[in-house]
Amino acid sequence: FETVRLYTAVAIAKSTGSSPRELSLGANTVVIPKNTVVIPNYSALHTHPRYWGDDSLKFEPSRWIVSSSSDPNNKDDLTSSSPSYPTEHLKEPPNRNSPFVGWSGGARSCPGRKFAQVEFVGVLVGLFREYKVAPVPLNGEDDDSARARLLEQIEKDTGMRLLLQMLHPEKAVLAWRRR
């Protein structure tokens, strides 16, 4: 979820359709004319400090992990077979009124969500089972400087064309080495 939150893959356009739509914004109501295409700023929504805290621009997968002690009376904790070990599970974003819309939501949510998640994990397992990857240092860089340069490039050199992509991937030179 954290990767999709910070790097929303697809800008989803919505339309008002053949009639005007009212949009309530606090105490104000705005009327959006018929046949208007609306493209919400998902990046702003997914990184707004009001919803994600002061570290909203930081990659922090732990925001989606819920830790709980294994309480045999806890009906939500289905992962524990022993009451003596703490457990962790993935926190699903709420379906309604959520600041996270990585796969849209409701009746029009992405039908390929689960497939994409499983495929993503499968590809990563396949790659990292036999390889490790590291940024290639440029002249005079140590490994930490190369890593910092690459992270900065990912933050500043990513944009939407049809899909989210690095605008200059040739600048992100990586070395793949067998384990």
Side-chain angles (χ1 to χ4, degrees):
F1 291 137
E2 189 69 353
T3 302
V4 173
R5 183 184 74 83
L6 286 175
Y7 303 102
T8 304
V10 179
I12 302 167
K14 302 288 185 178
S15 171
T16 57
S18 59
S19 59
R21 302 288 176 161
E22 289 187 355
L23 176 64
S24 297
L25 301 168
N28 300 320
T29 300
V30 176
V31 177
I32 303 174
K34 68 178 184 174
N35 299 319
T36 300
V37 174
V38 178
I39 303 175
N41 186 340
Y42 295 105
S43 295
L45 181 63
H46 287 167
T47 59
H48 198 292
R50 177 189 323 152
Y51 306 115
W52 306 101
D54 292 335
D55 65 345
S56 63
L57 296 175
K58 184 179 177 191
F59 181 76
E60 192 65 56
S62 64
R63 42 178 118 242
W64 301 100
I65 298 171
V66 177
S67 295
S68 61
S69 62
S70 296
D71 177 358
N73 298 320
N74 183 356
K75 304 277 190 247
D76 295 329
D77 186 2
L78 302 176
T79 60
S80 175
S81 60
S82 169
S84 61
Y85 297 109
T87 63
E88 292 181 339
H89 61 275
L90 194 61
K91 176 171 56 173
E92 285 282 335
N95 289 330
R96 297 181 48 90
N97 301 324
S98 172
F100 180 77
V101 288
W103 288 277
S104 194
R108 295 185 180 173
S109 67
C110 177
R113 173 184 170 183
K114 286 291 184 192
F115 175 78
Q117 290 172 323
V118 170
E119 183 178 46
F120 179 78
V121 170
V123 167
L124 288 179
V125 166
L127 286 172
F128 290 108
R129 177 178 37 209
E130 295 186 30
Y131 292 91
K132 59 184 178 179
V133 65
V136 174
L138 299 178
N139 293 338
E141 278 186 329
D142 61 11
D143 289 343
D144 290 337
S145 298
R147 188 174 297 111
R149 175 183 44 81
L150 185 61
L151 288 173
E152 181 179 2
Q153 182 182 349
I154 291 169
E155 288 179 14
K156 296 184 176 178
D157 193 38
T158 303
M160 294 298 286
R161 289 194 176 147
L162 175 60
L163 301 173
L164 180 72
Q165 57 188 283
M166 290 189 75
L167 301 176
H168 301 282
E170 70 279 1
K171 294 180 182 177
V173 180
L174 299 172
W176 291 84
R177 294 186 181 91
R178 280 205 178 271
R179 292 187 176 272

